[in-house]
């Protein structure tokens, strides 16, 4: 859930229950972790496009200042750390390391990639921090925009099955269709295209990379991951 504060700054609060939330699970399934930006910012000094939202960590990098702390009312007191508002909230599932959740499967805490039959905790953390750093779209499932604006991530999405194909130029109903158009919704950012040469599937001939857009919208997953068609497997 997002809480909006009108103006050139929009504060987003995710209902995660705070750091340390017990994610639980069953013997056959569990949420390993989650992470989200605490806020998005636009029209700040250094913003490449003033009408786009930038995730807090990206906004800090572009502006050269801590954007969250410029708006002390934008972060709930209970969310602050040493009177500062963090850029990323993250939670990881400590229940995985018991016999109830996922049975004998535990987190592997080494950093050598030799997780065996366990789950590589480092990969989970890196994946979730990727979301916190900005690999996440803010478009709603009905195609509406967060606070009436696009974000810097969805600005690099397109779907050639629709006209116009650029996500940010579509009408709301077209964006809703694009978010549920498997295999067609792609990231076309120049850095993504440049780095996609090692993919053997999930990549268009021009280097654009497929985004997860199943025909049934999945909150928290759709638009904010690469498609499962990618091979080899990618972090996001």
């Amino acid at each position: 859930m997002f809480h909006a504060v009108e103006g050139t700054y929009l504060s987003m609060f995710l209902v995660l229950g705070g750091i340390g939330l017990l994610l639980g699970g069953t013997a056959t399934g569990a949420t390993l972790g989650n992470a989200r930006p605490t806020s998005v910012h636009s029209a700040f000094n250094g913003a490449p496009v003033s009408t786009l939202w930038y995730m807090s960590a990206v906004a800090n990098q572009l502006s050269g200042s801590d954007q969250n702390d410029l708006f002390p009312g934008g972060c709930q007191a209970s969310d602050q750390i040493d009177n500062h508002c963090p850029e990323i909230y993250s939670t990881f599932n400590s229940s995985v390391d018991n016999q109830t959740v996922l049975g004998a499967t535990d987190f592997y805490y080494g950093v050598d990639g030799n997780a065996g039959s366990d789950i590589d905790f480092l990969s989970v953390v890196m994946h979730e921090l990727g979301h916190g750093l900005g690999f996440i779209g803010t478009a709603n499932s009905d195609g509406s925009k967060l606070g009436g604006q696009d974000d810097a991530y969805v600005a690099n999405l397109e779907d050639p099955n629709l006209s116009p194909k650029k996500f940010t130029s579509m009408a709301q109903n077209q964006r809703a269709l694009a978010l549920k158009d498997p295999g067609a919704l792609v990231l076309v950012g120049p850095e993504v295209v440049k780095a996609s040469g090692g993919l053997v599937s999930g990549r268009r001939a021009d280097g654009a990379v497929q985004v997860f857009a199943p025909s049934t919208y999945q909150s928290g997953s759709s638009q904010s991951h690469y498609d499962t068609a990618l091979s080899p497997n990618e972090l996001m």
Side-chain angles (χ1 to χ4, degrees):
M1 179 178 294
F2 297 116
H3 171 69
V5 178
E6 296 301 327
T8 58
Y9 169 77
L10 182 69
S11 180
M12 300 195 310
F13 297 109
L14 272 289
V15 181
L16 299 178
I19 304 299
L21 174 70
L22 294 176
L23 298 178
T26 68
T28 58
T31 299
L32 301 177
N34 52 45
R36 296 291 185 271
T38 59
S39 60
V40 290
H41 306 257
S42 69
F44 53 86
N45 290 334
V49 181
S50 63
T51 56
L52 291 178
W53 295 124
Y54 294 85
M55 302 306 159
S56 46
V58 176
N60 288 356
Q61 180 69 20
L62 292 170
S63 67
S65 62
D66 191 332
Q67 292 296 304
N68 276 2
D69 283 349
L70 294 178
F71 298 88
C75 186
Q76 297 171 345
S78 61
D79 297 328
Q80 294 180 9
I81 299 174
D82 295 331
N83 297 318
H84 294 279
C85 182
E87 279 62 52
I88 299 173
Y89 290 152
S90 61
T91 306
F92 299 94
N93 194 346
S94 60
S95 298
V96 170
D97 290 332
N98 64 35
Q99 294 300 305
T100 302
V101 175
L102 301 184
T105 300
D106 295 327
F107 277 131
Y108 174 72
Y109 296 103
V111 294
D112 55 8
N114 294 320
S117 60
D118 285 330
I119 299 166
D120 188 52
F121 184 68
L122 179 61
S123 296
V124 174
V125 170
M126 291 177 65
H127 173 97
E128 295 304 333
L129 290 182
H131 289 311
L133 290 170
F135 200 104
I136 186 172
T138 61
N140 296 308
S141 59
D142 64 356
S144 60
K145 301 177 181 181
L146 178 66
Q149 294 187 169
D150 296 301
D151 65 76
Y153 173 86
V154 300
N156 289 303
L157 293 179
E158 70 175 35
D159 184 339
N161 290 339
L162 298 169
S163 181
K165 65 181 181 180
K166 186 173 176 60
F167 191 83
T168 53
S169 299
M170 296 176 184
Q172 178 177 330
N173 66 314
Q174 292 177 308
R175 289 192 296 273
L177 292 173
L179 292 173
K180 296 180 288 186
D181 197 2
L185 187 66
V186 291
L187 269 173
V188 296
E191 295 301 318
V192 171
V193 170
K194 184 167 64 175
S196 69
L199 294 174
V200 297
S201 62
R203 172 186 181 272
R204 288 194 325 205
D206 63 359
V209 178
Q210 292 178 16
V211 171
F212 188 61
S215 56
T216 299
Y217 188 87
Q218 296 182 22
S219 180
S221 295
S222 293
Q223 77 178 293
S224 297
H225 293 85
Y226 285 127
D227 195 86
T228 54
L230 268 64
S231 179
N233 189 29
E234 295 295 310
L235 180 67
M236 301 307 296

